[in-house]
Amino acid sequence: MKKYVVAVTGASGITYARRLLEVLTPLAEVHIIISDMAKKIADYEEVDLSGFDGIYVAEEDMFADIASGSFRYDAMVVIPCSMKTLAAINSGFSDNLITRAADVCLKEGRKCILMPREMPLSGIHLRNMAELDSAGATIMVISPGFYLKPKTIDDLIDMVVARVLDHLGVKHSISDRWSGN
């Protein structure tokens, strides 16, 4: 069974994390880390991140198995990824389990998907993203497309989550694919 880490940080767009967990937890072992600020934003945005069949791990639990490179997992997704978290990962500042697990992903050569939702982006944000890309991270700015002619907000969310699942190698049918004209 595949093992993934899904981290949720303090940026707007918590609903993307919820949808990813809805799809991924029935298919794999998922370690879930929710930052304190993400919990506050989830409450504000009225998004419930509880009750998934995953392994919930506290942000401050630096003794968790996912904090070590010797613990095998396939990939990590930080969704949404705050610019604070992105900057910490880029600088190697592993002061919590989210940034430590991302650091482990990068040093072990595992897939690490970082999904910022900020706009506009400053030069600092762009430099951090470019450096993380060079270090092996996949940067997926949360930016749904309209070429599939979405009818609802859920269609837009599914389009973004479908791209994440594609990058994780997880088969799905939650969104159509581009097939040309």
Side-chain angles (χ1 to χ4, degrees):
M1 175 179 276
K2 294 278 190 173
K3 296 179 184 179
Y4 301 105
V5 175
V6 174
V8 186
T9 68
S12 183
I14 302 292
T15 191
Y16 291 102
R18 176 169 181 74
R19 183 63 173 134
L20 179 61
L21 291 170
E22 285 174 354
V23 175
L24 199 56
T25 54
L27 305 174
E29 179 181 300
V30 181
H31 297 254
I32 304 165
I33 315 164
I34 305 169
S35 75
D36 290 337
M37 185 54 83
K39 290 174 186 172
K40 292 176 184 174
I41 292 174
D43 185 52
Y44 179 79
E45 293 182 352
E46 299 177 354
V47 177
D48 185 6
L49 294 173
S50 66
F52 291 102
D53 186 19
I55 301 164
Y56 287 85
V57 190
E59 174 185 25
E60 62 276 354
D61 186 1
M62 296 295 276
F63 285 94
D65 48 10
I66 59 176
S68 173
S70 67
F71 181 76
R72 302 292 305 159
Y73 54 92
D74 297 283
M76 178 174 184
V77 180
V78 183
I79 179 172
C81 183
S82 69
M83 288 303 163
K84 175 185 173 185
T85 300
L86 190 96
I89 295 167
N90 186 46
S91 67
F93 186 65
S94 300
D95 68 332
N96 64 47
L97 186 57
I98 294 171
T99 53
R100 173 60 188 165
D103 188 40
V104 165
C105 256
L106 293 172
K107 79 179 185 71
E108 297 294 329
R110 298 178 190 151
K111 182 161 285 289
C112 184
I113 300 173
L114 307 175
M115 302 191 66
R117 201 244 18 98
E118 188 73 46
M119 77 167 183
L121 298 168
S122 73
I124 294 168
H125 301 151
L126 294 168
R127 280 190 299 276
N128 282 335
M129 287 184 220
E131 289 175 12
L132 282 162
D133 177 77
S134 294
T138 299
I139 307 298
M140 296 181 75
V141 176
I142 296 175
S143 179
F146 290 84
Y147 56 86
L148 296 176
K149 299 182 181 175
K151 305 283 188 273
T152 66
I153 290 174
D154 288 340
D155 292 341
L156 293 170
I157 293 166
D158 280 353
M159 186 256 182
V160 170
V161 171
R163 295 296 294 139
V164 175
L165 296 170
D166 286 347
H167 279 261
L168 293 175
V170 175
K171 291 183 181 182
H172 66 86
S173 60
I174 67 168
S175 181
D176 292 332
R177 295 185 180 281
W178 174 252
S179 60
N181 295 328

